């Protein structure tokens, strides 16, 4: 998938995930939330991942926005 060796700041969602069925995209999102999220939020240090997560959530009819916590 091209993620081997990625550090937190360079993580991303592979492009093929966006072509999965609605059900499979929901399951993928559930896995992301199980590992790095809570009921109401998902946290990542990768800006690319944050925007991809938002777009994936929106693709299944969910709501998501991005917030930067930079100092």
């Amino acid at each position: 998938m091209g993620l081997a060796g990625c550090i937190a700041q360079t993580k991303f969602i592979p492009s093929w995930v966006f072509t999965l069925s609605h059900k499979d995209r929901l399951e993928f999102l559930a896995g992301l939330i199980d590992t790095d999220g809570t009921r109401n939020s998902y946290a990542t240090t990768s800006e690319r991942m944050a925007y991809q997560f938002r777009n994936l959530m929106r693709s299944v009819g969910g709501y998501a926005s991005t917030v930067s916590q930079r100092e």
Side-chain angles (χ1 to χ4, degrees):
M1 287 194 257
L3 295 169
C6 282
I7 58 173
Q9 293 85 0
T10 61
K11 285 184 181 177
F12 64 94
I13 297 173
S15 60
W16 57 265
V17 172
F18 294 89
T19 67
L20 296 172
S21 70
H22 184 267
K23 178 180 178 270
D24 289 340
R25 283 180 281 139
L26 282 173
E27 289 180 12
F28 190 91
L29 280 166
L32 290 174
I33 293 167
D34 282 348
T35 57
D36 292 324
T38 66
R39 181 173 170 248
N40 295 317
S41 67
Y42 177 80
T44 180
T45 59
S46 168
E47 187 174 339
R48 179 180 180 190
M49 181 78 161
Y51 287 107
Q52 288 178 319
F53 179 90
R54 181 194 65 190
N55 293 339
L56 190 59
M57 179 65 79
R58 290 177 178 178
S59 81
V60 296
Y63 172 79
S65 61
T66 55
V67 177
S68 176
Q69 296 293 323
R70 291 185 183 169
E71 296 180 40

